[in-house]
Amino acid sequence: MEEEKKSGHDHSGGPGTIQVVGIGPGDLSQLTFKAHQALTEAQVIIGYSTYLELIPAYLEGKEAISSGMMKEVDRCQKAVEMALQGKKVVVVSSGDPGVYGMAGLVLELSSPHGIQVEVVPGVTAANAAAAVLGAPLMHDFTVISLSDLLTPWEVIEKRLEAAAAGDFIVILYNPASKKRKKQIIKAREIFLLHKDPKTPVGIVKNLYRDGQEVTISNLDNMLKQDIDMFTTVVVGNSKTYQQGNQMITPRGYNLP
Ligand code: SAH
């Protein structure tokens, strides 16, 4: 950390590279071809153990470094260290690495060292969830994380309020955990100040992973569903409706 700031293009010391790769929500079918290439060509793959378990085939013959959920900074520092040894490093994020993923941290920590970093996008949970629900994101939407670990709760509440008042479709990430339920309860209360109780709510759990569950509920009843850390919640706007097992937000076309 005491290193002198170098230009981002100065590779005179011969550092390797870091690619921050999104692996999509779980199943390999959701991996982009670019992510596949990066994982195939990597010498070192670093990631949270749960994510590395999703890509066993890519770990064979490579140095795999996994760590627990609370060690994001350590993990990125390790990536920088390995890159400075001249290695081709991949840091894995679920979904898209630039959406509450590892991309920001890797860029922040690697910039003083002149390491070349590439962010390889992935299918974020919001896109994947929308697809299995039907077409709920056909109009303006916003993603809000209910995790107040790194963001003050007051800030989150203000954003929920603004999103609801603006009639956005709202996607909730990190909606609840076993011990943390009050945020989703409060979020629903805020939505009900502006949205109809019958507004469809898509609840998508363990998408593309074991135990996948897709449910369409509404604001009234949504808390009857089991909502946890592996769930993405999609709250419709005032035009969103349910048709069979699909959630649709009309774009606004005149239909015959
Ligand atoms: N970088 C990730 C998001 C990290 S935030 C991405 O782009 O998808 C973590 C939150 O994403 C989870 O709490 C959950 O709300 C959502 N999520 C990630 N993977 C999911 C999956 N397979 N099924 C349902 N929700 C998921």
Side-chain angles (χ1 to χ4, degrees):
M1 288 297 96
E2 299 298 326
E3 302 249 350
E4 244 182 62
K5 243 184 192 263
K6 288 187 204 158
S7 133
H9 301 288
D10 176 9
H11 298 139
S12 53
T17 58
I18 303 180
Q19 286 171 302
V20 199
V21 173
I23 59 166
D27 189 81
L28 291 186
S29 66
Q30 303 300 301
L31 207 70
T32 68
F33 190 66
K34 173 78 185 183
H36 160 79
Q37 281 178 321
L39 288 166
T40 305
E41 289 162 16
Q43 290 172 306
V44 182
I45 299 184
I46 301 181
Y48 177 49
S49 41
T50 307
Y51 304 151
L52 294 191
E53 281 162 21
L54 296 170
I55 51 165
Y58 291 105
L59 305 181
E60 275 169 37
K62 288 175 198 140
E63 194 170 344
I65 301 172
S66 68
S67 64
M69 195 45 137
M70 298 315 292
K71 307 234 177 80
E72 283 97 347
V73 177
D74 294 354
R75 210 184 299 157
C76 291
Q77 265 163 348
K78 189 76 189 166
V80 169
E81 207 178 286
M82 303 300 268
L84 287 172
Q85 292 169 15
K87 295 194 170 136
K88 218 169 155 34
V89 179
V90 160
V91 176
V92 161
S93 263
S94 85
D96 183 284
V99 179
Y100 309 103
M102 303 299 279
L105 210 43
V106 170
L107 287 175
E108 286 178 86
L109 291 172
S110 59
S111 67
H113 302 284
I115 298 165
Q116 196 188 320
V117 178
E118 184 184 16
V119 180
V120 178
V123 177
T124 190
N127 294 137
V132 291
L133 287 167
L137 306 185
M138 295 302 295
H139 221 287
D140 303 331
F141 65 90
T142 178
V143 179
I144 299 178
S145 166
L146 294 190
S147 168
D148 53 1
L149 224 54
L150 301 172
T151 308
W153 177 249
E154 306 80 71
V155 172
I156 299 172
E157 259 192 33
K158 209 190 281 176
R159 290 179 184 162
L160 289 166
E161 168 69 36
D167 195 24
F168 284 88
I169 301 142
V170 186
I171 297 137
L172 300 176
Y173 278 12
N174 301 301
S177 69
K178 292 229 154 31
K179 290 190 206 127
R180 192 174 60 79
K181 297 280 180 213
K182 68 173 201 286
Q183 288 86 347
I184 187 77
I185 294 170
K186 184 68 190 173
R188 174 179 168 275
E189 280 171 20
I190 294 172
F191 293 145
L192 281 169
L193 298 174
H194 300 276
K195 292 176 182 281
D196 190 282
K198 294 288 164 236
T199 303
V201 175
I203 296 165
V204 181
K205 193 169 164 179
N206 294 316
L207 185 56
Y208 289 106
R209 299 185 190 170
D210 288 344
Q212 173 173 314
E213 278 173 40
V214 181
T215 312
I216 301 179
S217 178
N218 56 35
L219 270 181
D220 226 1
N221 295 317
M222 61 179 276
L223 294 180
K224 290 180 187 156
Q225 303 302 317
D226 183 26
I227 296 174
D228 65 9
M229 279 307 274
F230 303 102
T231 308
T232 296
V233 177
V234 181
V235 181
N237 72 8
S238 56
K239 304 279 190 321
T240 307
Y241 64 96
Q242 183 176 353
Q243 181 173 272
N245 59 1
Q246 290 175 331
M247 188 171 163
I248 303 172
T249 303
R251 177 81 178 82
Y253 298 106
N254 284 322
L255 299 181

